[in-house]
Each structure stands twice: as C-alpha cells, then as structure tokens.
Amino acid sequence: MSVLVNKDSKIIVQGFTGSEGTFHASQMIEYGTNVVGGVTPGKGGQTHLDKPVFNTVEEAVKQVGADTTIIFVPPAFAADAIMEAADAGIKVIITITEGIPVADMIKAADYIKDRNCRLVGPNCPGVITPEEAKVGIMPGFVFKKGNVGIVSKSGTLTYEAADQVVKQGLGITTAIGIGGDPIIGTTTKEAVEMLINDPETKAVVMIGEIGGQLEADAANWYKASGSKKPVVGFIAGETAPAGRTMGHAGAIVGGSDDTAQAKKKIMRACGIHVVDSPAEIGKKVAEVMA
Amino acid sequence: MNLHEYQGKELLNSFGVRIQRGIVAQNADEAVAAAKKLTEDTGTGWHVIKAQVHAGGRGKGGGVKLAKSLDDVKTIASQIIGMDLVTPQTSAEGKRVHQVLVAEDVYYPGDSEPEEYYMSVLLNRGNGRNMIMYSTEGGMDIETVAEETPHLIFTEEIDPATGILPFQARKVAFNLGLSGTAFKEMTRFVTSLYTAYVKSDSSLFEINPVLKTSDDKIMAVDAKVTLDDNALFRHKDLAELRDLREENPIEVEAGALGLNYVDLDGNVGCMVNGAGLAMATMDLIKQAGGEPANFLDVGGTADAARVEAAFRIILKDPNVKAILINIFGGIVRCDRVAQGVIDAYKNMGNIEVPIIVRLQGTNADIAKELIDSSGLDVKSAVEFQEAADKVQAVLA
C-alpha cells in the first residue's frame, strides 16, 4: 500500500509542453511513473515526450482515463488549471506552481471543496511513492522504498529528511510535500491521517514551519486518534523574526501561537517525538522504530 | 508589499471608502501649503501631522502630532521630517522619516461624542476565506484587546462565491452599537472596504481607528494596507507605489538578483536552496552557538553566477564572521554547485571569513573532492551535523 499515488495512477501533466513541464515530465517518465499524456491548450493532437497532448483535461480523462494530474502552469493561470482538473473528474491534483495569487486560491479552494477530488499544494515539491510513482520535482534516487511516511511543507527539507531516514537503513512509503502557501489543498492533518491509516506505513515524519495552525491541528488529531504509530516532528524557523515572510508565502509568524516554539510544545504534548535539530530527524526515526 | 498610510487611504477612497482627508508633503514648506489647501477644501482649523513610514505605533514615538496653527504645522513638520522614528515596531535605531501626511482634524466637537472602532480585513488561513475582524475598542493595540477583552472582538466570514452580503454589513453596524445615520454610513463603509480589499488583491487591511465623527460620519483615520506580492502582476499601478526607501537596501539588491534574502542580526551568513531547509539551517547555526546573519534561498539553479551574487550579498553585512553554504543537490548536481563556489571564490579574490560548504545529494562525493583539492580556505561537509560542528569550530 501507499497513499495518493502508486504504479497504477494514470497521470497527466498540465503545462506539459512548457520548459518546467517538459523537464520534470521527462524525469518522471524516466523514474518509471505512469504518465499517460499532458494538457496544453491549443496543442491538442500533438505528441510530446512520446505521449499524447490534449487541449483540455476533460479530453485526457475521456481518452486515456487520467485520474491524477500534476500542474506546472504559470501562476496567473494555475488556479484555473486546478478548477479545470476538478471539473473534469481528476481525483488527485498535485500543484507545483509557486506564486499563485491568494485571491485565486480562495476561489479555487471553494470551487473544488464539494467535488470529489484532493488537491496537494500549491507551491509544493509533489508526492512520491518510491519505486512506483514520482509525481513531483524531487530527486527520485533519494527516496528508497520502506515503511516511513513523510509529510512536509518544504522541498529540500523533505529530501534532507528522506536522505537521513534512508541512511538509517530505513525507507519511505510515500512522501507528501503539502506546500508552503497560506492556502493549500491537503493539510498536515489530512496527510498525517492518510499515512497513519496506511497499513504499510509504520512511522510518520511530520515537518512543519512557522506560520498558521496546520501542525497544531495535526498534533491534536493524532492525540485524539489514539494511534500507536510513532510520529517524529520538526518545525523549521525557530530563529525567524516575527512578522517577516521567510521564503514561503505562508512562513510568517503572526502571533504567539504560530512560532516554532509554540508548535513544538503542542506537538510534544500530543505525544509526537519532536527533535530540535534538523540533523536528528533520521536518528530519531530509527530510535522510535527500534 | 506595504503601502504608506497616504497611499492606502487614496486606494480606499478610490473605492468609495470615506477617509480622513490629507495631503502628503516632503518638507516643511510643502506641509504649510498642504495645510492651507486642506483648510480651503475641508474647512478644518487644526491639522494632524503624521510621519509616513512603514511601521505601526507612530504616535508613541512622536511621529503623529496635532498642529493648531500654520506656525505649528511648520515647526512640527520640520521636526518630524528627517527624524529617525522609533516605534514598538522598528529597530532601536528607528526609521528615517522622508515625508509627512498633513491631515484634517476630524475630532471636532458636535452633536455626539466621536467614537473609535477597529476594523481589519484578512485571510483566515484556517478555512481559506477572507474575514472582517472588528471591535468597539478602536485606537488601541488589537493584540491587547484580544488578550484582555476578547469578547469585544467580532469576526464576519465572507463566502467567496457571494462576497459581502447586506445582512453581514448590518450585523457589523449593529455589533458596533450604531443607529441612524451612523448605522447607514457604517454599512456603506464596510461594504466598500471589502470591495476595495478584493479588487486590489490585498492581503491585509487594518483600519485603526475607524472613526464615528461628532456628526455621524464613518471614516478611516489610519490605513495599513498590505498587497499580495503574487498578484502585483495584474496591478501595475499599485506596484508603482513601492517605496524602496522603506526597505532594507541589501534586501532590495538581493531581490533584483532573484535571491530571496532577509537581513538578520547574527554573525553566521548562510546560503541555502529551498526556504524550509534555509530556516532549518538558521536553526542549526543557533544550536551550534552562532546566530544567523540572514535567510537566503538561492533557489533551484545554484550556478557560479548565482553563488557569487549570493556571496557578495552576504558579505555586505560587516557582522558576518563565517558563511555556511548548505545545498541539497537534487536535480541540480553537487559537483556543479561546488565548481560554482570555487569559481565565485576565485573571482572575488579576498573573502576573509571562513566558509563551510555542505553539499548533499547527487554527486556529493565528487563535490567534496573538488572543494578539498581546490586549495582554498573552504571546509567541506556532507552530513548536516558535520556542517554544524564545523561552524562551531570556526566560531570558537
């Protein structure tokens, strides 16, 4: 088992023929991901990377049975791409695009909420189930197959955590990059819940950062669930000053309850194994799984 | 991006929100001319001189003063323009004031007592919707109100599909205890305020205080407006309002080079790819006994040109005693980054602070080899902890 994506996922790439889309789609295909085509409005009927190009997501769903999409569409048009995918019946919508206006995401989040789909991102590295499907921009070789699930707001910090886990002789079931924007589809709590409920996943790594309440919500859910699966946590940004945006649009301390210290306190109180040093993530995972 | 009070008020006014009127002035003579004009236009006798800087709490630092004559206007304006205004939101050195807003006096006596309220429009990150937050306790620090009298803070969530509805505007006016003319004025005020927020793609409006005048007008006496940077591409006119004098000059320069840089007070500079890893690296520097001098995300393409640009930015800070480069090479290969570091180092000639380079990921071993055999005073590391230990060693 795994969550969100696996070897049977039928994946399309929106923004397929652009430079980002082309580069990462070819990396995904090389990894062995089941990419069944792509969408670029106006280029329908062409072939790109040996896969069919469609004008609309609806055509891709009808003709090749797409159920998962990865979006590389530029920020000004990305929210529209998300809504198009949801309308066409795509089940998993993974949005890599960084810099989407908040107002556009408010609209898109509202549009998709009653449709039967799950959004991951935006501004995220994507989702990977090792040896099955890489639906994102992460370096595939870092992620070896195993029993540890990873949830993270950040890209390179996810790779760092996965690398540390793998160096402990362990591996990954699925790593989910949920993104660092103020409005994201899948929350930390939802991602942790999926992994806790996945029989193959034996432990979860949850990496957060300053800003917002997502980690506290996830921690409270974990405590209430009574799950015995260990969760290892880290929150980046203990040294970040209040009121400044640290790279990710959502990474900003707004009050006393969204600092790294406050989040770690709640997580500890909920039974999560919190590490203060980002260099200790892998070691702690090995310890709690021993 | 933040706007000055006068810019924020102009924006609100263009959407029909009533504001305390004013004219911006760059020097004392302009301030006097502005005051005369304002008296002609509005009939105001007194004037309020307000420092225009991007920081709250200006009144506490002496940046907002009442002028009861044109002589007062001249004296106060010359005091405020050029001062380094220290407020609870600035550093101890304060912020240089380049201009003042000369505003009409709106606390004139009349049939009723003037009253102050608080109102903001912002995103509720919990449910992805905008909300209007308001309180009867205006003119005060809202954090204090939230702590001491939380029952006096109200919120109204806005459905993105409908926008603000008439009953919601009425609810705001009722909760603020208004009736008659002031009630109608408030429903108009809050409706146009929300429209302005949405149409300008703002991420924060904070109006503190919103004033009910003695003749029952509702107006914005102050305006803190933050625009969504990601939406500026469709608001060219608003993007032009950016005042670079209000920003850290090194941050402005870094931004122009495509580097995401935040200046901090510490002694260890860092250069990292990815925002999350950059924050984690700052935390690790602290745990190693240093203090981060900056946040710097070099992004995905850490080639020689970018690395060199980042070096130059970090070294502009005289407090930097060491530099930690932490790159997780995924798609970008570590050996290329290492070559970039070596080339940049050689190009720059005289880097006098020790450098620790931690490259992990694709071709990390080749990268370490390149660094170690370069003959430069650069210490290499592969593991995260190893990098921290080396930072600790050079600071000792």
Coordinates of all heavy atoms in Angstrom, one line a residue, chain B residues 189-259:
Chain B
F189 N -19.6 51.8 4.6 CA -18.2 51.8 4.8 C -17.6 50.4 4.7 O -16.6 50.1 4.0 CB -17.9 52.4 6.2 CG -16.4 52.4 6.6 CD1 -15.7 53.6 6.3 CD2 -15.8 51.4 7.2 CE1 -14.3 53.6 6.6 CE2 -14.4 51.4 7.6 CZ -13.7 52.6 7.3
V190 N -18.2 49.4 5.4 CA -17.7 48.1 5.5 C -17.8 47.4 4.1 O -17.0 46.6 3.7 CB -18.3 47.3 6.7 CG1 -19.8 47.0 6.5 CG2 -17.6 46.0 6.9
T191 N -18.9 47.7 3.4 CA -19.1 47.1 2.1 C -18.1 47.6 1.1 O -17.5 46.8 0.4 CB -20.6 47.4 1.6 OG1 -21.5 47.0 2.6 CG2 -20.8 46.7 0.3
S192 N -17.9 48.9 1.1 CA -16.8 49.4 0.1 C -15.4 49.0 0.6 O -14.6 48.8 -0.3 CB -17.0 50.9 -0.1 OG -17.5 51.6 1.0
L193 N -15.2 48.9 1.9 CA -13.9 48.5 2.3 C -13.6 47.0 1.8 O -12.5 46.8 1.3 CB -13.9 48.5 3.9 CG -12.5 48.3 4.5 CD1 -11.6 49.5 4.3 CD2 -12.6 48.0 6.0
Y194 N -14.6 46.1 1.9 CA -14.3 44.8 1.5 C -14.1 44.7 0.0 O -13.3 44.0 -0.5 CB -15.5 43.8 1.9 CG -15.2 42.4 1.6 CD1 -14.3 41.7 2.3 CD2 -15.7 41.8 0.4 CE1 -13.9 40.4 2.0 CE2 -15.4 40.5 0.1 CZ -14.5 39.8 0.9 OH -14.1 38.5 0.6
T195 N -14.9 45.5 -0.7 CA -14.8 45.6 -2.2 C -13.3 46.0 -2.6 O -12.7 45.5 -3.4 CB -15.8 46.6 -2.8 OG1 -17.1 46.2 -2.4 CG2 -15.7 46.6 -4.3
A196 N -12.9 47.1 -1.9 CA -11.5 47.6 -2.1 C -10.5 46.5 -1.9 O -9.5 46.3 -2.6 CB -11.3 48.8 -1.2
Y197 N -10.7 45.7 -0.8 CA -9.7 44.7 -0.4 C -9.6 43.6 -1.6 O -8.5 43.2 -2.0 CB -10.2 44.0 0.9 CG -9.4 42.8 1.3 CD1 -8.3 43.0 2.1 CD2 -9.8 41.5 1.0 CE1 -7.5 41.9 2.6 CE2 -9.0 40.4 1.5 CZ -7.9 40.6 2.3 OH -7.2 39.6 2.7
V198 N -10.8 43.2 -2.0 CA -10.8 42.2 -3.1 C -10.3 42.7 -4.4 O -9.4 42.1 -5.0 CB -12.2 41.6 -3.3 CG1 -12.3 40.7 -4.5 CG2 -12.7 40.9 -2.0
K199 N -10.7 43.9 -4.8 CA -10.4 44.4 -6.1 C -8.9 44.8 -6.2 O -8.3 44.9 -7.3 CB -11.2 45.7 -6.4 CG -12.7 45.4 -6.5 CD -13.1 45.1 -7.9 CE -14.6 45.0 -8.0 NZ -15.2 44.4 -9.1
S200 N -8.3 45.1 -5.0 CA -6.9 45.5 -5.1 C -6.0 44.3 -4.8 O -4.7 44.4 -4.7 CB -6.6 46.6 -4.0 OG -6.9 46.1 -2.7
D201 N -6.6 43.1 -4.6 CA -5.8 41.9 -4.3 C -4.9 42.1 -3.0 O -3.7 41.9 -3.0 CB -4.9 41.5 -5.4 CG -5.5 40.5 -6.4 OD1 -6.0 39.4 -5.9 OD2 -5.6 40.7 -7.6
S202 N -5.5 42.6 -2.0 CA -4.8 42.9 -0.8 C -4.7 41.7 0.1 O -5.5 40.7 -0.1 CB -5.4 44.0 0.0 OG -5.1 45.3 -0.6
S203 N -3.7 41.6 1.0 CA -3.7 40.5 1.9 C -3.9 41.0 3.3 O -4.1 40.2 4.2 CB -2.4 39.7 1.8 OG -1.3 40.6 1.9
L204 N -3.9 42.3 3.5 CA -4.3 42.8 4.8 C -4.7 44.3 4.7 O -4.1 45.1 4.1 CB -3.1 42.8 5.8 CG -3.4 43.4 7.2 CD1 -4.4 42.6 8.0 CD2 -2.1 43.6 8.0
F205 N -5.9 44.6 5.3 CA -6.3 45.9 5.6 C -6.4 46.1 7.1 O -7.1 45.2 7.7 CB -7.7 46.2 5.0 CG -7.8 46.7 3.6 CD1 -6.7 46.7 2.8 CD2 -9.0 47.0 3.0 CE1 -6.8 47.1 1.4 CE2 -9.1 47.4 1.7 CZ -8.0 47.5 0.9
E206 N -5.8 47.1 7.7 CA -6.1 47.3 9.1 C -6.4 48.8 9.3 O -5.5 49.6 9.0 CB -4.9 46.9 9.9 CG -5.2 46.9 11.4 CD -4.0 46.3 12.2 OE1 -2.9 46.6 11.9 OE2 -4.3 45.6 13.2
I207 N -7.6 49.1 9.7 CA -8.1 50.4 9.8 C -8.2 50.7 11.3 O -9.2 50.2 11.9 CB -9.4 50.7 9.1 CG1 -9.4 50.1 7.7 CG2 -9.7 52.2 9.0 CD1 -8.4 50.6 6.7
N208 N -7.3 51.4 11.9 CA -7.3 51.6 13.4 C -6.8 53.0 13.7 O -5.6 53.2 13.7 CB -6.5 50.5 14.0 CG -6.7 50.5 15.5 OD1 -7.7 51.1 16.0 ND2 -5.8 49.9 16.3
P209 N -7.7 53.9 14.0 CA -9.2 53.7 14.2 C -10.0 53.9 13.0 O -9.6 54.7 12.1 CB -9.5 54.7 15.3 CG -8.6 55.9 14.9 CD -7.3 55.3 14.4
V210 N -11.2 53.3 13.0 CA -12.3 53.7 12.2 C -13.1 54.7 13.1 O -13.3 54.4 14.3 CB -13.3 52.6 11.9 CG1 -14.5 53.1 11.1 CG2 -12.6 51.5 11.0
L211 N -13.4 55.9 12.6 CA -14.0 56.9 13.4 C -15.4 57.2 13.1 O -15.8 57.3 11.9 CB -13.1 58.2 13.3 CG -13.6 59.4 14.2 CD1 -13.3 59.2 15.6 CD2 -13.0 60.7 13.7
K212 N -16.2 57.3 14.2 CA -17.6 58.0 14.0 C -17.4 59.4 14.5 O -17.0 59.6 15.6 CB -18.6 57.3 14.9 CG -20.0 57.9 14.7 CD -21.0 57.3 15.7 CE -20.8 58.0 17.1 NZ -21.2 59.5 17.1
T213 N -17.6 60.3 13.6 CA -17.4 61.7 14.0 C -18.6 62.2 14.8 O -19.6 61.6 14.9 CB -17.2 62.6 12.7 OG1 -18.4 62.5 11.9 CG2 -16.1 62.2 11.8
S214 N -18.4 63.4 15.3 CA -19.5 64.0 16.1 C -20.7 64.3 15.3 O -21.8 64.5 15.8 CB -19.0 65.3 16.8 OG -18.7 66.2 15.8
D215 N -20.6 64.3 14.0 CA -21.8 64.5 13.1 C -22.1 63.2 12.3 O -22.6 63.2 11.2 CB -21.6 65.7 12.2 CG -20.4 65.7 11.4 OD1 -19.5 64.8 11.6 OD2 -20.2 66.5 10.5
D216 N -21.7 62.1 13.0 CA -22.2 60.7 12.5 C -21.6 60.3 11.1 O -22.3 59.5 10.4 CB -23.7 60.6 12.5 CG -24.2 60.5 13.9 OD1 -23.4 60.2 14.8 OD2 -25.5 60.7 14.1
K217 N -20.5 60.8 10.8 CA -19.8 60.2 9.6 C -18.9 59.1 10.0 O -18.3 59.1 11.1 CB -18.9 61.3 8.9 CG -19.7 62.4 8.2 CD -18.8 63.2 7.4 CE -19.5 64.4 6.7 NZ -19.3 65.7 7.5
I218 N -18.8 58.1 9.2 CA -17.8 57.0 9.5 C -16.6 57.1 8.5 O -16.8 57.1 7.3 CB -18.5 55.6 9.3 CG1 -19.7 55.5 10.2 CG2 -17.5 54.5 9.5 CD1 -19.5 55.4 11.7
M219 N -15.4 57.1 9.0 CA -14.3 57.3 8.2 C -13.0 56.6 8.7 O -12.9 56.2 9.9 CB -14.0 58.8 8.0 CG -13.5 59.4 9.3 SD -12.9 61.1 8.9 CE -14.3 62.0 8.4
A220 N -12.1 56.3 7.7 CA -10.8 55.7 8.1 C -9.8 56.8 8.5 O -9.6 57.7 7.6 CB -10.3 54.9 6.9
V221 N -9.4 56.8 9.7 CA -8.4 57.8 10.1 C -7.0 57.3 9.9 O -6.1 58.1 9.7 CB -8.6 58.1 11.6 CG1 -7.6 59.1 12.1 CG2 -10.0 58.7 11.8
D222 N -6.8 56.0 9.9 CA -5.5 55.4 9.5 C -5.8 54.3 8.5 O -6.9 53.8 8.4 CB -4.8 54.9 10.8 CG -3.3 54.7 10.5 OD1 -2.8 54.9 9.4 OD2 -2.6 54.2 11.5
A223 N -4.7 53.8 7.8 CA -4.9 52.7 6.9 C -3.6 52.0 6.8 O -2.6 52.6 6.3 CB -5.4 53.2 5.5
K224 N -3.6 50.7 7.2 CA -2.4 49.9 6.9 C -2.8 48.9 5.8 O -3.8 48.1 6.0 CB -2.0 49.1 8.2 CG -0.8 48.1 7.9 CD -0.4 47.5 9.2 CE 0.5 46.3 9.1 NZ 1.6 46.4 8.1
V225 N -2.2 49.0 4.7 CA -2.5 48.1 3.6 C -1.3 47.3 3.1 O -0.3 47.8 2.9 CB -3.0 49.0 2.4 CG1 -3.2 48.2 1.1 CG2 -4.3 49.7 2.7
T226 N -1.5 46.0 3.1 CA -0.5 45.1 2.5 C -1.1 44.4 1.3 O -2.2 43.9 1.3 CB -0.1 44.0 3.6 OG1 0.3 44.7 4.8 CG2 1.0 43.2 3.1
L227 N -0.4 44.5 0.2 CA -0.8 44.0 -1.1 C -0.2 42.6 -1.2 O 0.9 42.3 -0.7 CB -0.4 44.8 -2.2 CG -0.9 46.3 -2.2 CD1 -0.2 47.1 -3.3 CD2 -2.4 46.4 -2.4
D228 N -0.9 41.7 -1.9 CA -0.4 40.3 -2.2 C 0.7 40.5 -3.3 O 0.4 40.8 -4.5 CB -1.6 39.5 -2.7 CG -1.1 38.0 -3.0 OD1 0.1 37.7 -2.9 OD2 -2.0 37.3 -3.5
D229 N 1.9 40.2 -3.0 CA 3.0 40.3 -3.9 C 2.8 39.5 -5.2 O 3.1 39.9 -6.3 CB 4.3 39.9 -3.3 CG 4.8 40.8 -2.2 OD1 4.5 42.0 -2.3 OD2 5.5 40.4 -1.3
N230 N 2.2 38.3 -5.0 CA 1.9 37.4 -6.1 C 0.9 37.9 -7.1 O 0.8 37.4 -8.2 CB 1.5 36.0 -5.6 CG 2.6 35.3 -4.9 OD1 3.8 35.6 -5.1 ND2 2.2 34.3 -4.1
A231 N 0.1 38.9 -6.7 CA -0.9 39.4 -7.6 C -0.5 40.8 -8.2 O -1.3 41.4 -8.9 CB -2.2 39.6 -6.8
L232 N 0.6 41.3 -7.9 CA 1.0 42.6 -8.4 C 1.1 42.7 -9.9 O 1.0 43.7 -10.5 CB 2.4 43.1 -7.7 CG 2.3 43.5 -6.3 CD1 3.7 43.8 -5.8 CD2 1.4 44.7 -6.2
F233 N 1.3 41.5 -10.5 CA 1.4 41.5 -12.0 C 0.1 42.0 -12.6 O 0.2 42.5 -13.7 CB 1.7 40.1 -12.5 CG 0.6 39.1 -12.3 CD1 -0.4 38.9 -13.3 CD2 0.6 38.3 -11.2 CE1 -1.4 38.0 -13.2 CE2 -0.5 37.3 -11.0 CZ -1.4 37.2 -12.0
R234 N -1.0 42.0 -11.9 CA -2.2 42.5 -12.5 C -2.6 43.8 -11.9 O -3.8 44.3 -12.1 CB -3.4 41.5 -12.5 CG -3.7 41.0 -11.1 CD -4.7 39.8 -11.2 NE -5.0 39.2 -9.9 CZ -5.3 37.9 -9.7 NH1 -5.4 37.1 -10.7 NH2 -5.5 37.5 -8.5
H235 N -1.7 44.4 -11.2 CA -2.0 45.8 -10.6 C -0.7 46.7 -10.8 O -0.1 47.0 -9.8 CB -2.3 45.7 -9.1 CG -3.5 44.9 -8.8 ND1 -4.8 45.4 -9.0 CD2 -3.7 43.6 -8.4 CE1 -5.7 44.4 -8.7 NE2 -5.0 43.3 -8.3
K236 N -0.4 46.9 -12.0 CA 0.8 47.7 -12.3 C 0.8 49.1 -11.6 O 1.8 49.5 -11.2 CB 0.9 47.9 -13.9 CG 1.0 46.6 -14.7 CD 2.4 46.1 -14.8 CE 2.5 45.0 -15.8 NZ 2.1 43.7 -15.3
D237 N -0.4 49.7 -11.5 CA -0.5 51.0 -10.9 C -0.1 50.9 -9.4 O 0.6 51.8 -8.9 CB -1.9 51.6 -11.1 CG -3.0 50.6 -10.6 OD1 -2.7 49.4 -10.7 OD2 -4.1 51.1 -10.2
L238 N -0.6 49.8 -8.8 CA -0.3 49.7 -7.3 C 1.2 49.3 -7.1 O 1.9 49.7 -6.2 CB -1.2 48.6 -6.7 CG -2.7 49.0 -6.7 CD1 -3.5 47.8 -6.1 CD2 -2.9 50.3 -5.9
A239 N 1.7 48.5 -8.0 CA 3.1 48.1 -7.9 C 4.1 49.3 -7.9 O 5.1 49.3 -7.3 CB 3.5 47.1 -9.1
E240 N 3.7 50.3 -8.7 CA 4.5 51.5 -8.7 C 4.5 52.3 -7.4 O 5.4 53.2 -7.3 CB 3.9 52.5 -9.8 CG 4.4 52.0 -11.2 CD 3.7 52.8 -12.3 OE1 3.2 53.9 -12.0 OE2 3.8 52.3 -13.5
L241 N 3.7 52.0 -6.5 CA 3.6 52.7 -5.2 C 4.7 52.2 -4.3 O 4.9 52.8 -3.2 CB 2.3 52.5 -4.5 CG 1.1 53.1 -5.3 CD1 -0.2 52.8 -4.5 CD2 1.2 54.6 -5.5
R242 N 5.5 51.2 -4.6 CA 6.5 50.7 -3.8 C 7.5 51.8 -3.5 O 8.0 52.5 -4.3 CB 7.2 49.5 -4.5 CG 8.3 48.8 -3.6 CD 8.7 47.6 -4.3 NE 9.8 47.0 -3.6 CZ 10.7 46.1 -4.1 NH1 10.5 45.6 -5.3 NH2 11.6 45.5 -3.3
D243 N 7.8 51.9 -2.2 CA 8.8 52.9 -1.7 C 10.1 52.2 -1.2 O 10.1 51.7 -0.1 CB 8.2 53.8 -0.6 CG 9.1 54.9 -0.2 OD1 10.3 54.9 -0.7 OD2 8.7 55.8 0.5
L244 N 11.1 52.1 -2.1 CA 12.3 51.4 -1.8 C 13.0 51.9 -0.6 O 13.8 51.2 0.1 CB 13.2 51.3 -3.0 CG 12.7 50.5 -4.2 CD1 13.6 50.6 -5.3 CD2 12.4 49.1 -3.8
R245 N 12.8 53.2 -0.2 CA 13.5 53.8 0.9 C 13.0 53.1 2.2 O 13.7 53.2 3.2 CB 13.1 55.3 1.0 CG 13.7 56.1 -0.1 CD 13.2 57.5 -0.1 NE 11.7 57.6 -0.1 CZ 11.0 58.8 -0.1 NH1 11.7 59.9 -0.1 NH2 9.7 58.8 -0.1
E246 N 11.9 52.5 2.2 CA 11.3 51.9 3.4 C 11.9 50.5 3.6 O 11.6 49.8 4.6 CB 9.8 51.8 3.4 CG 9.1 53.1 3.4 CD 9.4 53.8 4.7 OE1 9.3 53.2 5.8 OE2 9.6 55.1 4.7
E247 N 12.6 50.0 2.6 CA 13.1 48.6 2.7 C 14.6 48.5 2.9 O 15.3 49.5 2.7 CB 12.7 47.9 1.4 CG 11.2 47.8 1.1 CD 10.9 47.2 -0.2 OE1 11.6 46.3 -0.6 OE2 9.9 47.6 -0.8
N248 N 15.0 47.4 3.4 CA 16.5 47.2 3.7 C 17.2 47.2 2.3 O 16.8 46.4 1.4 CB 16.6 45.8 4.4 CG 18.0 45.5 4.6 OD1 18.8 45.4 3.7 ND2 18.4 45.2 5.9
P249 N 18.2 48.1 2.1 CA 18.8 48.2 0.8 C 19.5 46.9 0.3 O 19.5 46.6 -0.9 CB 19.9 49.3 1.0 CG 20.0 49.5 2.5 CD 18.7 49.0 3.1
I250 N 20.0 46.1 1.3 CA 20.6 44.8 0.8 C 19.5 43.8 0.3 O 19.7 43.1 -0.6 CB 21.4 44.1 2.0 CG1 22.4 45.1 2.6 CG2 22.2 42.9 1.4 CD1 23.3 44.5 3.7
E251 N 18.4 43.9 1.0 CA 17.3 43.0 0.6 C 16.7 43.4 -0.8 O 16.4 42.6 -1.6 CB 16.1 43.1 1.6 CG 16.5 42.4 2.9 CD 15.4 42.4 4.0 OE1 14.3 42.8 3.7 OE2 15.7 42.1 5.1
V252 N 16.7 44.7 -1.0 CA 16.3 45.2 -2.4 C 17.2 44.7 -3.4 O 16.8 44.2 -4.5 CB 16.2 46.8 -2.4 CG1 15.9 47.3 -3.8 CG2 15.1 47.2 -1.4
E253 N 18.5 44.9 -3.2 CA 19.5 44.4 -4.1 C 19.5 42.9 -4.4 O 19.5 42.5 -5.5 CB 20.9 44.8 -3.6 CG 22.0 44.7 -4.6 CD 23.4 45.1 -4.1 OE1 23.4 45.8 -3.1 OE2 24.4 44.6 -4.6
A254 N 19.3 42.2 -3.3 CA 19.2 40.7 -3.4 C 18.0 40.3 -4.3 O 18.0 39.5 -5.2 CB 19.1 40.0 -2.1
G255 N 16.9 41.0 -4.0 CA 15.6 40.8 -4.8 C 15.8 41.0 -6.3 O 15.3 40.2 -7.1
A256 N 16.6 42.1 -6.6 CA 16.8 42.4 -8.0 C 17.6 41.3 -8.7 O 17.6 41.1 -9.9 CB 17.5 43.7 -8.1
L257 N 18.4 40.6 -7.9 CA 19.3 39.5 -8.4 C 18.5 38.1 -8.4 O 19.1 37.1 -8.7 CB 20.6 39.4 -7.6 CG 21.5 40.6 -7.7 CD1 22.6 40.5 -6.6 CD2 22.2 40.6 -9.0
G258 N 17.3 38.2 -7.9 CA 16.5 36.9 -7.9 C 16.8 36.1 -6.7 O 16.5 34.9 -6.7
L259 N 17.4 36.7 -5.6 CA 17.7 35.9 -4.4 C 16.7 36.3 -3.4 O 16.4 37.5 -3.2 CB 19.1 36.2 -3.9 CG 20.2 35.9 -4.9 CD1 21.5 36.6 -4.3 CD2 20.4 34.5 -5.1

